[in-house]
Amino acid sequence: MEEYLKTLLEQIRCKKARNVVEEEIRGHLEEQIEENRMAGMDPQDAEKAAVLDMGDPVQTGISLDGIHRPKISWKLVILIGMVSLLSIILQMAAGGLAEGIQHSMYVILGFVLMILVYRLDYSFLGRNALWVTLDFFLVMFFLRSLAVPVNGTSTWIYAGGIGISLKALLYLWPPLYGALLYKYYGQGYKGILKSFLWLLFPSWYALTFPDVGLAFVVFFASMIQLSLTVFQGWFQVKKGRTLAVVWGMVILLPVFGLLWGVVFHGFAEYQIERLIVYFSGKFNASSMLADSRWLGRSQELTMNPGYSSNYILSYLSSYYGILAAFLVAALVLGLIFAAIKTAGKGKNRLGKIIGFASGLSLLLPAVINILVNLGLFPAVDTFLPFLSQGNSYLLVSYILLGLILSVYRYKDILSEKACRKARPALK
């Protein structure tokens, strides 16, 4: 059997796939050997018969090589290309040729980053979730010490004339959190407690900017993942009771945070005044539908011709009509949902949760941005992935897509065992 497996595995060109193939074929052989022994064969004859039933090792290996090899979702890549091209066109139309050229350069850089991440083995996160997360926190702390204060907040660092937003980098947290949840798989309530404690840091980090909207996205994205894994039985606990506690925390923690900030003066005076304005509804943006036509430029523009990053949909509605804004929003959401669907085709739990988390990290700011433009949500700092101005957010968006494409790339290659602990294939 060992000689048969060695010959078969030599036909598999992707080395990472050999572990999966070996595990699969060895399992079939062992099952067949056991059946032959139960039928009355002696162990040696049972093994020979099982190997003969598997067929020629070279031909079997070639067939499996066609299945277990890296893949790319060309449909998703084409959709990404369409949205990227549209973003360049919009930047040129709204901000001029110079803005369009600069944006196009970052789109190209984003594509390069996406391809590099796509080529990486995402299972590294599953095997080293704790260390990667700690390194992420240390880097974020270090970068915060280098941040330049602007208007009372330290959210930007500058290197070689290039600005990097710490807020944008925080959108990389949800995939890391997904890897942590995978690490705590099967640890019961202890694992849930550990998972919950981990998500407090990025939420607090966002509040120190201060950015309540970002803290909400980070916290809510993490809680959605935690709820999903509890529902799917990852922690082997009572689902109903646990989900009730989890979502009780989703409601109570923000309430306690507000009480601490307002009643016990944890917030600065300007932050309290800003919250009062938020809850009064006076700080809501004007609806992008106001004074706009379905097609064409409105008679009374709802915004200044100058380009606004947060209000790209309002710009489109004012200058090209409600239908244009609707189609662009639908295209961006379509891309994000297609990415989440693509990640869902992964064959192991780690890939699925990392892909889902990456999509969620794009979906939540997109939905909030659309609601802000519709005047249905307070005018918090947000962005529309791929279309809003903001180079750091653009690059982070492509990195998240790269993670999703990496999950799809290795969907027929990485097994659950490979995601937890590397085991060398039979040579």
Side-chain angles (χ1 to χ4, degrees):
M1 181 173 72
E2 300 302 326
E3 186 64 30
Y4 179 89
L5 285 171
K6 180 180 178 181
T7 302
L8 185 149
L9 292 175
E10 287 173 350
Q11 316 309 312
I12 309 297
R13 289 171 290 180
C14 179
K15 293 181 179 181
K16 292 181 181 296
R18 291 176 182 173
N19 286 327
V20 177
V21 174
E22 181 197 355
E23 184 179 332
E24 179 183 338
I25 299 303
R26 185 183 293 276
H28 287 315
L29 285 171
E30 289 176 350
E31 288 179 4
Q32 188 60 50
I33 290 171
E34 184 62 26
E35 289 182 8
N36 291 343
R37 291 181 61 185
M38 294 292 291
M41 292 186 181
D42 62 68
Q44 188 173 4
D45 289 339
E47 182 176 327
K48 288 182 180 179
V51 169
L52 288 174
D53 289 341
M54 290 298 297
D56 182 70
V58 175
Q59 293 300 320
T60 303
I62 291 174
S63 298
L64 291 171
D65 178 64
I67 298 172
H68 297 279
R69 64 179 183 179
K71 292 180 173 61
I72 185 167
S73 175
W74 286 110
K75 291 182 179 179
L76 182 59
V77 171
I78 292 172
L79 187 55
I80 294 170
M82 291 172 57
V83 173
S84 301
L85 181 60
L86 175 63
S87 70
I88 294 173
I89 294 172
L90 288 178
Q91 286 285 346
M92 288 186 174
L97 182 61
E99 288 285 349
I101 292 175
Q102 182 187 34
H103 185 76
S104 64
M105 295 301 294
Y106 276 94
V107 167
I108 293 172
L109 178 58
F111 251 91
V112 172
L113 288 175
M114 182 181 74
I115 293 171
L116 289 175
V117 175
Y118 155 75
R119 299 280 299 180
L120 295 176
D121 177 3
Y122 70 87
S123 65
F124 173 83
L125 296 177
R127 296 190 299 269
N128 304 278
L130 184 60
W131 293 112
V132 172
T133 305
L134 287 174
D135 288 343
F136 177 76
F137 288 167
L138 289 174
V139 169
M140 294 298 286
F141 267 124
F142 175 71
L143 293 179
R144 187 63 182 273
S145 68
L146 302 178
V148 178
V150 177
N151 296 326
T153 62
S154 301
T155 61
W156 289 88
I157 60 172
Y158 294 90
I162 298 175
I164 302 174
S165 170
L166 297 182
K167 291 183 180 182
L169 294 180
L170 209 53
Y171 281 94
L172 295 175
W173 163 253
L176 297 181
Y177 188 66
L180 282 172
L181 291 173
Y182 187 76
K183 174 180 175 58
Y184 297 135
Y185 183 93
Q187 293 191 17
Y189 292 109
K190 183 179 178 180
I192 293 176
L193 179 60
K194 291 178 183 177
S195 301
F196 180 76
L197 293 176
W198 273 111
L199 68 87
L200 295 179
F201 169 80
S203 303
W204 166 82
Y205 190 88
L207 287 173
T208 61
F209 286 136
D211 193 324
V212 177
L214 178 58
F216 168 80
V217 170
V218 171
F219 181 75
F220 196 63
S222 301
M223 295 303 284
I224 289 176
Q225 291 182 76
L226 180 57
S227 301
L228 179 64
T229 53
V230 169
F231 181 77
Q232 292 180 341
W234 281 30
F235 297 99
Q236 300 173 3
V237 296
K238 293 183 178 180
K239 299 178 183 178
R241 181 186 303 173
T242 305
L243 287 173
V245 172
V246 167
W247 284 97
M249 292 179 180
V250 172
I251 297 171
L252 292 177
L253 278 181
V255 172
F256 288 145
L258 288 174
L259 288 175
W260 170 80
V262 177
V263 178
F264 298 98
H265 307 289
F267 295 156
E269 287 297 328
Y270 78 92
Q271 292 175 316
I272 295 175
E273 291 177 4
R274 184 178 296 175
L275 285 171
I276 293 173
V277 174
Y278 279 164
F279 287 113
S280 69
K282 296 177 181 179
F283 202 55
N284 285 27
S286 298
S287 170
M288 68 180 182
L289 305 180
D291 301 321
S292 294
R293 299 178 177 180
W294 278 102
L295 290 173
R297 188 168 177 169
S298 60
Q299 294 179 348
E300 294 185 12
L301 300 179
T302 59
M303 65 177 295
N304 188 283
Y307 179 70
S308 172
S309 175
N310 290 349
Y311 302 104
I312 180 64
L313 293 177
S314 294
Y315 169 86
L316 288 170
S317 178
S318 296
Y319 283 81
Y320 302 102
I322 297 172
L323 186 59
F326 174 81
L327 291 176
V328 168
L331 183 60
V332 172
L333 291 177
L335 168 60
I336 296 172
F337 281 117
I340 294 175
K341 182 179 179 181
T342 298
K345 296 179 181 178
K347 299 296 178 62
N348 62 72
R349 295 180 181 92
L350 176 65
K352 289 184 177 182
I353 193 64
I354 287 179
F356 175 75
S358 300
L360 197 62
S361 206
L362 294 170
L363 180 62
L364 288 178
V367 171
I368 292 174
N369 182 271
I370 292 171
L371 292 176
V372 167
N373 277 263
L374 286 170
L376 302 176
F377 201 85
V380 296
D381 186 24
T382 182
F383 72 102
L384 187 62
F386 311 107
L387 296 185
S388 289
Q389 193 180 46
N391 300 324
S392 298
Y393 291 104
L394 184 66
L395 296 181
V396 166
S397 297
Y398 280 106
I399 290 173
L400 292 170
L401 285 179
L403 277 172
I404 291 172
L405 288 171
S406 178
V407 171
Y408 187 84
R409 171 182 170 82
Y410 292 107
K411 70 184 185 71
D412 295 319
I413 295 175
L414 295 175
S415 64
E416 293 285 350
K417 188 178 294 185
C419 291
R420 294 189 178 277
K421 185 177 180 181
R423 182 173 64 89
L426 184 67
K427 303 298 183 183

